[in-house]
Amino acid sequence: MSPDGIPGHTIPVRIGAGSAMSYDVRIGSGVLGDLERLAAAFASALLVADSGVPDDLIDEARAATERGGPSIGVHRFERPIERVKTTASVHAICASLSEMGADRSTSLVIAVGGGIVGDTAGFAAAAYQRGVPVVQCPTTLLAMVDASVGGKTGVNLETPDGRLRKNYIGAFHQPRAVLADTRAIRSLSDRHHRAGLAECVKHACLSAAFGDPDLMAWTEANAEALLARDDSTLAELIARNVRVKAAVVAEDERERANSGGRALLNLGHTFAHAIEPIPTLSPDEDSAHAPLHHGEAVALGVCAAAATATSLDPSTDRDQYAARLRALFERVGLPTQVRALPPAEELAVSMRADKKARAGRLRLVLPDPDQTARTIDDP
Ligand code: GLY
């Protein structure tokens, strides 16, 4: 229980030498109430609200912010899908800020939603008058354990041939705080909930080097409770994953390490980013389920990374580890193979165009059976 009486976990994120910047990630049922305290220092606040979030949570975020004292505007973010995660949406949020007379000294952006809304609103906050503070209130499991923490914000670039370059336009803009209210998870579809678990398995693959060597075994042992959305198990899952992510980001905020570092969080993502924009790919036999959700693409990407690690350095241990990862993804209802992939050469072109490539050379992240991972440059 925290001093303000709201139950849950509080994880500090400290970045830079001597923890030059730090903020808290609060996790639990009711933590949206902390918006009252956070908003009290501002004259105005713009709530950027995901249309998929239940109205009662948006109303609660709004009421808590109002109790803090600022004047408040609401910007509804309709249809948060990758195709609308663009500069046009950033422009619309900046226009809402301008209309309410927001300025960088006295105004706050509050993003309430999934990763698309958090990334877009976070980038609008980074760009508007060169930067207003943002509080991230993630409402999906995926955004709680990954997108909202660590300060990456941004949108996709649509190329003239209609392709989406994922997160090509963006900025590092650390939030003032992250409030992960676990009540939001109850409203997610099963598919969205499962997709969030992919990033958790990804973190478990790194966790031994970042303070939580038991995370993989714990996730396996609690898979059923996590699927059933048991409150305290979910809160523990989020807290442990945020701790791992915070430890990675603290060492290498801007992903500049020559090896390892924040790039480890890209495990599975280069492949995921290449297949995610393909509109016809489905996580199962049913084409009506296309396209893939981000987490589904990440599950496939982690499986591809484990298979790559095995083919570069074959061993029984690696084989068994790849099988262990596939088994966990399958247990939580995530895909481990996908039909109708484009030819390998076409995928390789997309992977090399990923913004994580350096001078056209890929940096792969490979998982090792001891729950660590490593980066290698284009073999
Ligand atoms: N989602 C990867 C990172 O935050 O670096």
Side-chain angles (χ1 to χ4, degrees):
M1 186 79 76
S2 64
D4 59 11
I6 303 174
H9 304 255
T10 300
I11 315 294
V13 183
R14 304 194 200 290
I15 287 160
S19 304
M21 176 186 299
S22 78
Y23 53 91
D24 285 341
V25 180
R26 297 194 63 182
I27 299 148
S29 176
V31 297
L32 277 179
D34 199 26
L35 282 171
E36 175 177 353
R37 180 186 63 84
L38 292 163
F42 297 91
S44 63
L46 180 70
L47 198 71
V48 182
D50 189 323
S51 59
V53 176
D55 285 344
D56 54 340
L57 281 184
I58 301 290
D59 291 346
E60 208 175 305
R62 185 189 174 123
T65 307
E66 269 169 350
R67 282 196 303 278
S71 64
I72 184 160
V74 178
H75 178 103
R76 296 299 296 210
F77 195 116
E78 304 297 339
R79 281 188 78 238
I81 55 170
E82 291 291 339
R83 280 271 152 207
V84 298
K85 187 183 164 185
T86 59
T87 50
S89 296
V90 175
H91 188 274
I93 296 169
C94 289
S96 293
L97 283 163
S98 165
E99 249 165 58
M100 65 189 280
D103 66 67
R104 66 183 174 197
S105 309
T106 65
S107 304
L108 174 70
V109 170
I110 300 170
V112 185
I116 291 175
V117 169
D119 280 5
T120 310
F123 182 52
Y128 182 77
Q129 295 189 358
R130 299 201 184 89
V132 294
V134 62
V135 172
Q136 293 283 357
C137 304
T139 57
T140 62
L141 178 59
L142 192 142
M144 289 180 189
V145 296
D146 185 24
S148 63
V149 180
K152 278 190 179 174
T153 70
V155 294
N156 302 326
L157 172 69
E158 190 167 354
T159 61
D161 62 0
R163 286 170 196 246
L164 279 188
R165 296 289 187 226
K166 285 267 297 176
N167 302 331
Y168 252 47
I169 303 169
F172 287 96
H173 190 52
Q174 298 292 344
R176 281 290 166 99
V178 180
L179 305 177
D181 200 314
T182 47
R183 290 172 302 171
I185 289 184
R186 287 185 210 132
S187 67
L188 295 179
S189 68
D190 280 344
R191 186 172 172 190
H192 270 106
H193 178 57
R194 290 193 302 262
L197 292 169
E199 296 284 3
C200 299
V201 176
K202 177 198 82 177
H203 286 147
C205 288
L206 324 171
S207 60
F210 295 97
D212 196 348
D214 296 330
L215 187 54
M216 182 74 79
W218 182 89
T219 307
E220 289 168 328
N222 288 280
E224 272 68 45
L226 294 170
L227 284 174
R229 307 187 205 194
D230 173 71
D231 238 6
S232 66
T233 315
L234 271 179
E236 181 171 349
L237 173 82
I238 298 163
R240 289 174 76 156
N241 275 269
V242 168
R243 258 189 222 110
V244 169
K245 176 147 191 190
V248 178
V249 171
E251 277 184 12
D252 181 26
E253 182 203 5
R254 305 238 158 180
E255 212 169 301
R256 293 207 173 120
N258 284 332
S259 62
R262 187 167 183 161
L264 295 175
L265 294 170
N266 298 331
L267 173 60
H269 279 62
T270 303
F271 186 71
H273 285 174
I275 60 174
E276 216 179 319
I278 301 172
T280 48
L281 293 185
S282 164
D284 53 29
E285 311 274 305
D286 188 345
S287 60
H289 295 154
L292 295 168
H293 287 197
H294 177 64
E296 293 163 348
V298 168
L300 291 161
V302 172
C303 291
T308 306
T310 308
S311 65
L312 291 175
D313 181 13
S315 74
T316 311
D317 272 6
R318 289 193 187 290
D319 257 347
Q320 285 173 345
Y321 190 50
R324 180 179 176 188
L325 292 174
R326 282 197 306 275
L328 180 53
F329 283 131
E330 277 160 16
R331 264 178 81 198
V332 298
L334 284 164
T336 55
Q337 49 189 339
V338 64
R339 281 164 195 275
L341 276 179
E345 311 77 61
E346 207 177 294
L347 279 179
V349 170
S350 300
M351 286 170 74
R352 277 179 218 292
D354 193 82
K355 73 178 187 326
K356 295 182 288 300
R358 300 176 182 200
R361 288 187 75 199
L362 282 179
R363 172 159 284 192
L364 298 178
V365 187
L366 302 179
D368 286 323
D370 60 354
Q371 281 110 72
T372 63
R374 66 203 144 91
T375 52
I376 60 160
D377 290 328
D378 226 350

